[in-house]
Amino acid sequence: MKLLYLWIISFTSLSLAVNPHRLVSSRLKQSIIPPRQWRRHSSPPPGSRIELRIGLTQPHIHILENHIQEISDPDHERYGQHLSKNEVENLVAPSNETVHLVHEWLSSHGIEDADMSRTPAKDWVVVNLPISLVEKMLDTNYSVWQHADGHFTIRTTRYSLPEYLLDHIDLVQPTTMFARFSNMRTTMYRATDKLAVGQIQGSSRYELLTPSLDSQPNCNHTVTLQCLQSLYDIAGYKPQAYSRNSIGLTGYLEQYANQEDLKLFLADQNPGASNASFDVKLIDGGLNNQSSQAAGDEANLDVQFALGLSYPTPGTFYSTGGEPPFKPDLGTESDTNEPYAKWLDFILSQDNPPLTISTSYGDHEQTVPEDYARRTCQRFMELGARGVTLTFSSGDGGVGDGNPDPGYQTCITNDGKNETRFLPVFPSSCPYVTSVGGTRGIPEEAVFFSGGGFSNIFTRPWYQSEAVDEFLNKLGENTYSGLFNRSGRAYPDVSAQGLNFRVFIGGKPYLISGTSASSPTFAGIIALLNDARLSVGLPALGFLNPLLYKRGTEALNDITVGNNPGCGTNGFNATQGWDPVTGLGTPNFNKLKEIVLESQMWTMSNRK
Ligand SMILES: *[C@@H]1O[C@H](CO)[C@@H](O)[C@H](O)[C@H]1NC(C)=O
Ligand SMILES: *[C@@H]1O[C@H](CO)[C@@H](O)[C@H](O)[C@H]1NC(C)=O
Ligand SMILES: *[C@@H]1O[C@H](CO)[C@@H](O)[C@H](O)[C@H]1NC(C)=O
Ligand SMILES: *[C@@H]1O[C@H](CO)[C@@H](O)[C@H](O)[C@H]1NC(C)=O
Ligand SMILES: *[C@@H]1O[C@H](CO)[C@@H](O)[C@H](O)[C@H]1NC(C)=O
Ligand SMILES: *[C@@H]1O[C@H](CO)[C@@H](O)[C@H](O)[C@H]1NC(C)=O
Ligand SMILES: *[C@@H]1O[C@H](CO)[C@@H](O)[C@H](O)[C@H]1NC(C)=O
Ligand SMILES: *[C@@H]1O[C@H](CO)[C@@H](O)[C@H](O)[C@H]1NC(C)=O
């Protein structure tokens, strides 16, 4: 009753004030310094339009945060009691007052066709508008910006909102969002037998081990399913609950996963599984070109290793469309959005999303506006609360650009001060995902490119403070002082092999390296852990990190050799315990299996 009463009051005060031309003072909502690589190019062409996403304030979001802490804590009596889709949606929904005020605001600008229910929770409003109108609404001026590599985009560096909406709108994008998720880097190097040693796409400085296409059983030179199964102690496990289990891989950048290549790969490395296939979901104009020339290296790598390890767990490949590169001279429709948001809209609206999902895309955290990063991270949290485990590759630039040469300096801050700092990667810096770094060889050591570091946006989450403090104490106060944020969320959480994976692309075997390989590998193992739990009637793992940090140290192989150079330094060292190169370590499936089964048994017996 009380809520309703308040709502009427504010509705009344709103009605009094709703004259569209009323004197509302507009207040600056956000102002940024444009990222270094971008230069203002021109005014937007007349008639340009933009698809605006308005994130509405969520008054109950902290309740969801409390829930996820409890249900992901193996020592809590609610461990594993995931929330339903409906429960999560209720906790992220805006208030009726917020919905109403935003609707009125749009109406006052003549906008009646806004999509107020793009997400089931109605926490986002999406509307396609002429830029000239958006400029009035947000009291701003958009420009065409050009990146050093020639790409164009339409953005602004500041925007305002009517004062009375500041508490009702978290963010409006695309405004200040310069991150290029529409052109997300895949975190992958590719080497073929034809390439000379050391010629690696995306990296000019490092030499790989001599790529050998012979499958070696021990992962020392070439990584195959067999050697991973033996290295990570999976061999012999027979999935039983696959009819209730599921795993997903995400694809962007017109990366298509090829069914024929999967069959070839399995015939090569897991003949018993050679009839495997996967489901494809197309999002926002994503395509599924099965021509062998269109097979994507990233997509094939992800699908082949994740599905190969977890076979016969059903797999889904999500092909999310990107918009065509924006050309300022062509005007009209612009690159308006980024595909992460579209993928999240889609997956959050599914009743049964896959229980494990791996993603191998990301960008430097500093190119993502803070409010946008927070809101996106929170959407990952929603999936975790519903019982989905998300893995992300930690990036391939070590602590930044992957370059130890102090003379070659690209790790510069975007905050106007042009300081040299390590460059953390988002979404790995989001505390609600499991970030996976890379290792190489036998015995395993950190691989030089393994992304790792400390967020400048997200503070250190509860579950890792002890492990990370221990590392920082060993490191000492002065090492790299000022180069990284000691209070930030630290990543990666775990790691897995990342060098020289034998993958089939367009009918032929190649070797691919990157934390792009590590994430689907770890995800495949999580899917098997879920299988073990589902087989005995336990719920899926969901958000995994609290369990990993509390119990995982006994079940992960601690990696203590190697480092991850970048930003003119040798980066961090892998050490005993957690480190920002290999996290807690690489998986031992059988030991993890005991832990994920025990955790719940303890809880269940305690609950009686
Ligand atoms: C908000 O609106 C919905 C649907 O319009 C209604 O069912 C609900 O009772 C309202 N909540 C409050 C607190 O007024
Ligand atoms: C936008 O540009 C116009 C014309 O140059 C200028 O008058 C106006 O002050 C600018 N508005 C903002 C918010 O910068
Ligand atoms: C794969 O399918 C074919 C034809 O459908 C069947 O003959 C064969 O036994 C299957 N192989 C496996 C390993 O299941
Ligand atoms: C699929 O990809 C191939 C190779 O890139 C291309 O020639 C073909 O036109 C594509 N087909 C469609 C329907 O886009
Ligand atoms: C930072 O770098 C940019 C681009 O190189 C330059 O325009 C700006 O003046 C620099 N700012 C400072 C404080 O050095
Ligand atoms: C892996 O290769 C390294 C050197 O390339 C060698 O020292 C090591 O013994 C090899 N390990 C195995 C298990 O073969
Ligand atoms: C360091 O991280 C915290 C969040 O943990 C953030 O509030 C602060 O602004 C960051 N400092 C810098 C210099 O980025
Ligand atoms: C990494 O280890 C090397 C060799 O022990 C040492 O010289 C270096 O100082 C360490 N670096 C860091 C950042 O801990």
Side-chain angles (χ1 to χ4, degrees), residues 38-43 143-146 152-153 328-329:
W38 292 91
R39 294 274 172 281
R40 189 181 178 279
H41 177 267
S42 54
S43 295
S143 297
V144 175
W145 295 79
Q146 186 170 26
F152 293 98
T153 191
D329 45 343

Side-chain angles (χ1 to χ4, degrees), residues 28-35 38 50 52-53 134 138-143 145 153-160 170-181 336 338 365-373 414:
L28 185 65
K29 175 75 179 164
Q30 191 179 51
S31 164
I32 62 147
I33 291 162
W38 292 91
I50 200 158
L52 218 53
R53 297 177 72 91
V134 176
L138 302 180
D139 191 17
T140 188
N141 289 322
Y142 277 81
S143 297
W145 295 79
T153 191
I154 295 188
R155 294 292 185 267
T156 177
T157 56
R158 51 191 282 130
Y159 70 99
S160 300
D170 263 357
L171 76 167
V172 182
Q173 292 292 353
T175 46
T176 52
M177 165 81 169
F178 281 83
R180 296 204 293 166
F181 290 114
T336 48
E338 54 82 14
E365 185 186 74
Q366 69 166 351
T367 65
V368 188
E370 179 172 338
D371 53 5
Y372 183 85
N414 262 343

Side-chain angles (χ1 to χ4, degrees), residues 209 218 220-221 441-443:
L209 302 174
N218 71 4
N220 211 15
H221 299 292
I442 312 282

Side-chain angles (χ1 to χ4, degrees), residues 220-477:
N220 211 15
H221 299 292
T222 302
V223 176
T224 60
L225 287 181
Q226 287 104 326
C227 80
L228 289 173
Q229 281 162 344
S230 130
L231 177 64
Y232 294 144
D233 201 13
I234 307 166
Y237 182 76
K238 292 266 175 297
Q240 285 164 28
Y242 46 86
S243 62
R244 281 163 286 151
N245 199 1
S246 47
I247 184 166
L249 292 313
T250 67
Y252 301 90
L253 301 176
E254 293 168 3
Q255 276 275 340
Y256 311 120
N258 191 281
Q259 302 275 9
E260 278 309 308
D261 284 338
L262 174 64
K263 289 195 167 50
L264 287 173
F265 168 81
L266 291 170
D268 182 60
Q269 298 184 22
N270 186 0
S274 58
N275 281 358
S277 70
F278 52 90
D279 198 17
V280 179
K281 290 266 191 295
L282 307 181
I283 301 169
D284 191 42
L287 301 174
N288 177 23
N289 187 335
Q290 286 295 315
S291 144
S292 72
Q293 285 96 349
D297 32 25
E298 175 72 65
N300 274 9
L301 165 70
D302 297 354
V303 160
Q304 289 173 15
F305 275 87
L307 300 191
L309 286 169
S310 61
Y311 180 82
T313 304
T316 303
F317 179 73
Y318 295 92
S319 173
T320 303
E323 296 175 25
F326 167 67
K327 303 252 170 40
D329 45 343
L330 297 181
T332 61
E333 285 297 323
S334 84
D335 70 329
T336 48
N337 244 310
E338 54 82 14
Y340 254 139
K342 304 244 168 107
W343 181 76
L344 280 162
D345 288 350
F346 178 87
I347 203 79
L348 284 165
S349 70
Q350 299 292 296
D351 288 326
N352 295 300
L355 297 176
T356 310
I357 305 177
S358 170
T359 300
S360 297
Y361 299 81
D363 206 344
H364 290 145
E365 185 186 74
Q366 69 166 351
T367 65
V368 188
E370 179 172 338
D371 53 5
Y372 183 85
R374 284 188 189 286
R375 196 64 188 238
T376 303
C377 180
Q378 191 192 288
R379 300 181 87 188
F380 295 135
M381 173 177 78
E382 290 175 42
L383 285 167
R386 285 175 58 187
V388 177
T389 307
L390 298 169
T391 67
F392 280 79
S393 33
S394 71
D396 288 355
V399 293
D401 58 3
N403 199 316
D405 176 357
Y408 175 85
Q409 195 41 266
T410 56
C411 298
I412 308 283
T413 57
N414 262 343
D415 56 3
K417 297 182 189 147
N418 298 351
E419 289 166 342
T420 295
R421 276 172 81 90
F422 294 164
L423 298 179
V425 164
F426 182 81
S428 261
S429 67
C430 162
Y432 291 105
V433 307
T434 298
S435 169
V436 187
T439 61
R440 64 182 253 182
I442 312 282
E444 283 189 280
E445 54 182 73
V447 67
F448 59 85
F449 52 70
S450 184
F454 296 77
S455 173
N456 289 313
I457 293 180
F458 300 98
T459 55
R460 183 132 61 255
W462 75 98
Y463 57 78
Q464 65 170 194
S465 52
E466 209 176 302
V468 177
D469 280 348
E470 202 183 305
F471 172 83
L472 289 174
N473 288 340
K474 275 183 289 189
L475 185 73
E477 284 286 335

